[in-house]
Amino acid sequence: MPEKNIESALNEKRVFPPSAEFSSRAAINGLEAYEKISRKALDDPEGYWAGIASELHWFEPWTKVLEWELPFSKWFVGGKTNISYNCIDRHLATPRKNKIAILWEGEPGDVRALSYQMLHREVCKFANVLKSLGLQKGDRATLYMGMVPELAIAMLACARMGVTHNVVFGGFSAEALRDRINDSQSRVLITADGSYRRGTTVALKKNVDDALEGASSVEKVIVYKRTGDAINMVAGRDAWWHDLMASASADFAAEALDSEHPLFMLYTSGTTGKPKGVVHTTGGYMTGTYITAKWVFDLKEEDTYWCTADIGWVTGHSYIVYGPLLNGATSVMYEGAPNFPEPDRFWSIIEKYRINIFYTAPTAIRTFVKWGDQWPAKHDLSSLRLLGTVGEPINPEAWMWYRKNIGGDRCPIVDTWWQTETGSIMISPVPGAVPAKPGSATRPLPGIVADVVDRQGNPVGVNQGGFLVLKRPWPSMMRTIYGDPERYKRQYWSDIPGVYFTGDGARRDEDGYFWIMGRIDDVMNVSGHRIGTMEVESALVSHPTVAESAVVGRPDELKGQGIVAFVTLAAGNQPLPALKEELKIHVGKSIGSFAKPDEIRFTDSLPKTRSGKIMRRLLRDLASGTKTVGDTTTLEDFSVLAKLREEE
Ligand code: PRX
């Protein structure tokens, strides 16, 4: 928890209601309809959520909607279902059978379209492959791949048989992959030879080979051939995806799984050095992603929908794979970089497939602004009818640029606030009903009770900064941290009594709109990637020359936040420029290139309190070039701060 409450500065007054045309066709077609649903959800939350869950298929009905023993929840208790069945099989007896489920474009330009029927066949076959390798319900599998349809196929195959999937973003290093395999105790690793990124290939299998030296739980490695680059195959351990699939049967009945069966775990950064495996279960996650995809993206049968996230992060789980497929949508998936071969790749994809709904991150939008208006202007984007953003606060200028240059001043924008932990979108405009304000995620969705409070949990006043909390359980909430329920309790439910603490600061304006101000704990948000300061610090001190380090975020025009590391060297080491480069590379190797510090500053000592705690607030001020105004009376040695300033 931070030392002080939060000041809020933004003062944005523009309001953009949806057009009458958009509203008239929308699933929730105006404020009145929206308020009515919200009221019902508030008065009878269990009835509300049960109504939504019952739009999906259950092999056996639940006996109880919610079992709530703060902070542990169980949803749809006793119910049996399967999310893979709901994403695929449920559509096969309808005209969606031959509708495209996944429309994929590779970076080199190759295209694949998988209908729901075709997806069913691949998923069943791959489930049989996993079964033939001895995998059973309750086991874990780690997936480390690029953005190919096989990643979604593997997830849906795991879900079909009750194997808990653990997707690790392809940008993570071998060491980070190893930690995640070990913590999850995965028996199988599913990967690819490599993946395409900005015209070159990323050697995924090489990282896997390195990671598996020291990850003994893995018995089998399945390798999808994507790039054709030469790789090492270990006899007895490694097998090609296509060889295993060749003889697999296309019959695999989806398991009737308990509603609380763990569907997946996904590691995310927190305030300690060790990433935590956020656990999501089946029935509640399914209910949350289904309804939010339906309402927030206002999915229509004929829509082509594209979320540009990587499936390695929660956005890809919930809004490339599960949410859209639960709704029988066509979900577009793109493999590569936005600027390959030119900075208009996204706009050419929108034009080519006549995409209607486009969901991306503020960091991407700011990058597009930098690349220039000429790139989107070259393309016909008139098919778009709705835009979305996620991952970090969006500054009003970027919002306005997005609205004008991509949305043709016509498309509503949904600024969706949520987290890996929440599983699905929590705060966002419902586009046909709630007028947008640039930079605000607007209001909580029906059934979500959010508030802005002080340290004691008391609501703060209108336009006062405070801590963003969620006050009632919701179906897609995380259930625990894998293997560490105590940490789950401590991390999210202890700082402010009785409520879920998000780690974000926020304020609520006179219209009840939420303005998210970003993380207030020791977590940074770099280009929408969540990185713990402690994680980078641990990586730095694992280098033999480093005695101590403190890492902070500083505002960055493009990335949202940049990383600054203050480093004290062990005796006998020289603070040379070459060492800075070496340390950056070292962090890249320990975590992944996206976590490399932007700047390293050597210092003889770090500012600490008398009890030995590093005073990050001071370092943050230093890193961002703002003058420290806060309280420094607990500082142990004032000369440290003066020296750090001199060293600037
Ligand atoms: O700080 C908030 C920010 O991203 C954090 C969650 O990160 P992660 O679990 O990686 O999930 C990202 C995608 C859901 C939040 O605590 N964040 C996410 N969306 C927004 C946001 N901040 C402001 N506005 C948003 N729309």
Side-chain angles (χ1 to χ4, degrees):
M1 291 287 277
E3 296 131 42
K4 286 257 153 136
N5 274 358
I6 302 144
E7 305 282 317
S8 170
L10 204 68
N11 187 19
E12 170 64 50
K13 293 283 179 224
R14 287 169 286 199
V15 182
F16 294 88
S19 68
E21 205 258 319
F22 188 97
S23 290
S24 66
R25 295 194 60 228
I28 300 181
N29 60 9
L31 270 176
E32 203 179 315
Y34 166 82
E35 301 287 8
K36 198 169 151 202
I37 298 173
S38 298
R39 218 169 308 118
K40 174 177 167 8
L42 204 58
D43 294 345
D44 176 19
E46 294 189 17
Y48 166 76
W49 290 116
I52 293 166
S54 60
E55 291 176 25
L56 296 159
H57 172 85
W58 294 78
F59 294 103
E60 279 177 38
W62 55 86
T63 50
K64 205 171 167 198
V65 176
L66 169 65
E67 224 174 83
W68 179 228
E69 282 175 38
L70 192 142
F72 297 100
S73 74
K74 289 185 180 158
W75 283 89
F76 312 114
V77 182
K80 297 248 188 298
T81 189
N82 187 294
I83 196 170
S84 181
Y85 182 98
N86 273 289
C87 282
I88 310 172
D89 306 44
R90 197 164 57 90
H91 308 304
L92 297 183
T94 75
R96 289 177 183 155
K97 174 182 164 205
N98 292 316
K99 179 176 175 176
I100 297 176
I102 295 177
L103 178 55
W104 175 85
E105 184 164 303
E107 190 180 79
D110 38 346
V111 178
R112 285 167 63 195
L114 287 166
S115 69
Y116 276 89
Q117 178 62 50
M118 291 158 80
L119 182 62
H120 181 256
R121 187 177 162 79
E122 296 300 305
V123 168
C124 287
K125 286 178 74 166
F126 197 64
N128 276 316
V129 165
L130 294 177
K131 189 173 163 193
S132 73
L133 298 180
L135 231 60
Q136 291 173 354
K137 177 168 123 181
D139 286 336
R140 272 86 53 213
T142 293
L143 283 57
Y144 181 69
M145 306 176 86
M147 285 284 286
V148 286
E150 280 64 24
L151 175 52
I153 291 166
M155 290 161 77
L156 290 159
C158 287
R160 199 166 183 83
M161 60 195 296
V163 167
T164 302
H165 59 68
N166 168 31
V167 180
V168 177
F169 171 55
F172 274 113
S173 68
E175 283 178 37
L177 173 62
R178 182 190 301 135
D179 289 346
R180 286 157 178 75
I181 294 170
N182 283 335
D183 192 73
S184 66
Q185 285 294 295
S186 292
R187 293 183 60 196
V188 164
L189 180 66
I190 304 162
T191 187
D193 50 357
S195 75
Y196 287 98
R197 187 78 194 174
R198 207 160 288 125
T200 60
T201 57
V202 180
L204 293 170
K205 180 60 167 56
K206 167 78 176 70
N207 283 348
V208 164
D209 291 339
D210 292 348
L212 290 185
E213 285 173 21
S216 56
S217 65
V218 172
E219 300 156 27
K220 288 281 174 198
V221 178
I222 303 174
V223 186
Y224 176 70
K225 191 179 219 151
R226 170 60 187 142
T227 61
D229 289 344
I231 56 163
N232 169 45
M233 293 289 278
V234 175
R237 187 193 73 182
D238 302 354
W240 287 106
W241 175 291
H242 56 263
D243 286 341
L244 295 167
M245 287 289 266
S247 55
S249 150
D251 267 334
F252 193 107
E255 284 259 358
L257 298 171
D258 193 89
S259 177
E260 282 300 325
H261 187 78
L263 170 65
F264 70 86
M265 52 210 288
L266 185 60
Y267 285 84
T268 191
S269 299
T271 50
T272 70
K274 189 172 168 307
K276 47 199 177 188
V278 168
V279 176
H280 282 287
T281 59
T282 303
Y285 175 81
M286 175 171 86
T287 304
T289 51
Y290 163 70
I291 198 62
T292 49
K294 181 171 169 168
W295 283 349
V296 174
F297 300 118
D298 192 45
L299 288 167
K300 300 265 176 288
E301 203 60 68
E302 64 276 19
D303 278 332
T304 306
Y305 159 91
W306 182 23
C307 164
T308 69
D310 192 291
I311 293 180
W313 307 107
V314 76
T315 306
H317 282 59
S318 299
Y319 298 109
I320 295 177
V321 182
Y322 291 116
L325 298 184
L326 285 166
N327 283 282
T330 295
S331 184
V332 172
M333 193 173 162
Y334 167 59
E335 179 183 39
N339 56 349
F340 185 85
E342 297 280 357
D344 61 346
R345 184 61 180 270
F346 279 13
W347 322 127
S348 85
I349 290 175
I350 290 174
E351 180 171 19
K352 184 169 169 191
Y353 303 108
R354 309 300 298 154
I355 283 167
N356 309 100
I357 303 165
F358 178 67
Y359 189 32
T360 196
T363 184
I365 297 168
R366 290 191 295 266
T367 306
F368 301 141
V369 174
K370 192 185 89 180
W371 287 342
D373 302 0
Q374 71 276 19
W375 295 106
K378 274 171 59 178
H379 295 275
D380 176 4
L381 305 179
S382 62
S383 58
L384 289 171
R385 63 181 198 85
L386 178 62
L387 304 176
T389 75
V390 60
E392 51 183 311
I394 181 163
N395 42 315
E397 305 74 52
W399 195 100
M400 292 303 296
W401 183 92
Y402 193 33
R403 180 179 157 89
K404 174 165 176 269
N405 292 276
I406 309 304
D409 280 325
R410 150 190 97 249
C411 305
I413 297 177
V414 287
D415 174 352
T416 63
W417 178 88
W418 58 296
Q419 309 177 298
T420 306
E421 292 88 340
T422 69
S424 61
I425 298 168
M426 299 282 104
I427 305 179
S428 164
V430 172
V434 177
K437 298 186 188 182
S440 169
T442 76
R443 295 168 60 178
L445 293 176
I448 304 304
V449 182
D451 205 349
V452 182
V453 301
D454 64 17
R455 298 189 61 129
Q456 286 70 41
N458 305 310
V460 299
V462 167
N463 283 324
Q464 300 276 301
F467 307 111
L468 179 65
V469 298
L470 300 172
K471 291 188 144 169
R472 270 198 195 163
W474 65 99
S476 69
M477 67 196 289
M478 72 183 289
R479 298 301 192 260
T480 188
I481 292 174
Y482 187 71
D484 200 349
E486 278 309 310
R487 188 174 170 201
Y488 165 68
K489 242 189 204 169
R490 201 169 56 242
Q491 181 92 49
Y492 302 102
W493 299 88
S494 304
D495 286 326
I496 304 171
V499 296
Y500 170 85
F501 177 48
T502 63
D504 281 340
R507 76 177 160 96
R508 194 158 42 169
D509 71 14
E510 52 285 355
D511 298 322
Y513 278 42
F514 285 76
W515 298 77
I516 315 294
M517 286 139 50
R519 305 289 307 195
I520 45 153
D521 53 8
D522 291 327
V523 174
M524 300 170 291
N525 190 330
V526 179
S527 302
H529 297 319
R530 226 167 113 168
I531 304 168
T533 53
M534 278 281 283
E535 251 177 294
V536 181
E537 287 165 10
S538 307
L540 284 166
V541 293
S542 72
H543 193 274
T545 62
V546 176
E548 192 176 31
S549 87
V551 167
V552 295
R554 71 158 172 226
D556 183 287
E557 222 169 87
L558 232 46
K559 300 195 287 186
Q561 277 190 306
I563 304 178
V564 180
F566 294 86
V567 170
T568 307
L569 293 173
N573 292 289
Q574 295 303 313
L576 302 172
L579 183 55
K580 290 188 180 179
E581 280 321 298
E582 191 180 323
L583 291 176
K584 287 183 190 175
I585 291 166
H586 180 72
V587 174
K589 238 184 109 225
S590 309
I591 306 173
S593 296
F594 61 90
K596 278 187 188 170
D598 297 275
E599 189 186 342
I600 292 191
R601 292 201 198 175
F602 292 124
T603 170
D604 288 340
S605 47
L606 292 163
K608 289 187 186 160
T609 62
R610 269 162 234 151
S611 59
K613 238 181 119 195
I614 292 170
M615 295 187 78
R616 289 172 186 286
R617 185 169 46 82
L618 302 186
L619 294 176
R620 268 196 293 268
D621 289 348
L622 268 173
S624 60
T626 49
K627 245 183 100 205
T628 297
V629 286
D631 183 11
T632 51
T633 49
T634 51
L635 190 61
E636 185 216 20
D637 176 2
F638 282 94
S639 66
V640 172
L641 194 60
K643 257 191 114 193
L644 272 166
R645 286 216 189 91
E646 273 166 31
E647 280 157 5
E648 269 184 78

